Amino acid sequence: MSGSDELVALYDLGGAVVGAATRAEVRAGGLWHAAGVVLVRSGDGNSVYVHLRTPTKDVYPSTWDCWAGGVVAAGETPEDCASRELAEELGIHGVGLRPLFTHVYDEGTIRCHNFAFEARWDGAFVHQPSEVVEGRWMTLEELRSWLDDPSSPFVPDGRLGALEWFRQQA
């Protein structure tokens, strides 16, 4: 099954699962769906791992993000999705996920409930070549400064999620 044929869980505006459709149908129709996303922080909590998306990504190519994650598949929970995506994109396995919040992104044809989690990690990263070009640690202060700069090449829904995370930390 190709990526565009993958079955994705459909959600309603309120965040409940209501069915399934292919990824291609979700993208073409601007259908409500969900993502499981993980903010990876260093063990001491002072840094966040950011990564550059490949130029071949179907949404927001060649932009930076601080959330490892992806679309919730049909029959999958957001937490299972987040754990799977963390392993696929960054090579992080067996780490506990702490639920943070859910933020809604509704812009153009992207209509998504982002179920956000946090993980602490000081180990090695193994980037998935089809998803991640490069990555690096960024201090919380550096990340906040980057997010506050509208000209920074950052994934729009990731920016909103990270700003919400900072707001909740205050």
Side-chain angles (χ1 to χ4, degrees):
M1 183 180 298
S2 74
S4 63
D5 293 333
E6 171 190 11
L7 279 182
V8 171
L10 294 180
Y11 282 68
D12 64 16
L13 179 60
V17 177
V18 296
T22 65
R23 180 184 291 263
E25 291 169 331
V26 168
R27 296 289 189 233
L31 304 177
W32 279 102
H33 60 288
V37 300
V38 183
L39 183 75
V40 179
R41 293 177 68 189
S42 57
D44 64 11
N46 292 327
S47 298
V48 170
Y49 195 76
V50 297
H51 62 276
L52 179 61
R53 296 164 61 91
T54 62
T56 56
K57 292 290 291 176
D58 64 336
V59 176
Y60 310 125
S62 300
T63 52
W64 287 88
D65 201 355
C66 62
W67 302 95
V71 174
V72 176
E76 185 177 49
T77 68
E79 185 170 2
D80 288 343
C81 171
S83 183
R84 174 180 53 79
E85 291 286 346
L86 187 60
E88 289 176 3
E89 290 182 8
L90 300 180
I92 299 174
H93 300 269
V95 66
L97 299 181
R98 183 173 70 88
L100 295 173
F101 52 82
T102 302
H103 71 96
V104 174
Y105 187 76
D106 185 3
E107 189 68 38
T109 62
I110 308 297
R111 305 173 84 197
C112 187
H113 299 276
N114 289 284
F115 291 85
F117 299 87
E118 180 181 307
R120 298 287 179 109
W121 183 255
D122 286 321
F125 292 90
V126 179
H127 298 145
Q128 183 179 27
S130 63
E131 302 258 350
V132 178
V133 174
E134 64 179 281
R136 61 185 161 105
W137 289 106
M138 188 175 267
T139 67
L140 297 180
E141 295 78 22
E142 291 169 327
L143 178 60
R144 182 59 196 246
S145 177
W146 209 14
L147 294 170
D148 287 340
D149 178 1
S151 69
S152 67
F154 212 85
V155 173
D157 61 335
R159 181 188 308 266
L160 290 177
L163 289 171
E164 175 61 19
W165 179 79
F166 274 112
R167 187 189 69 73
Q168 290 190 16
Q169 301 303 306

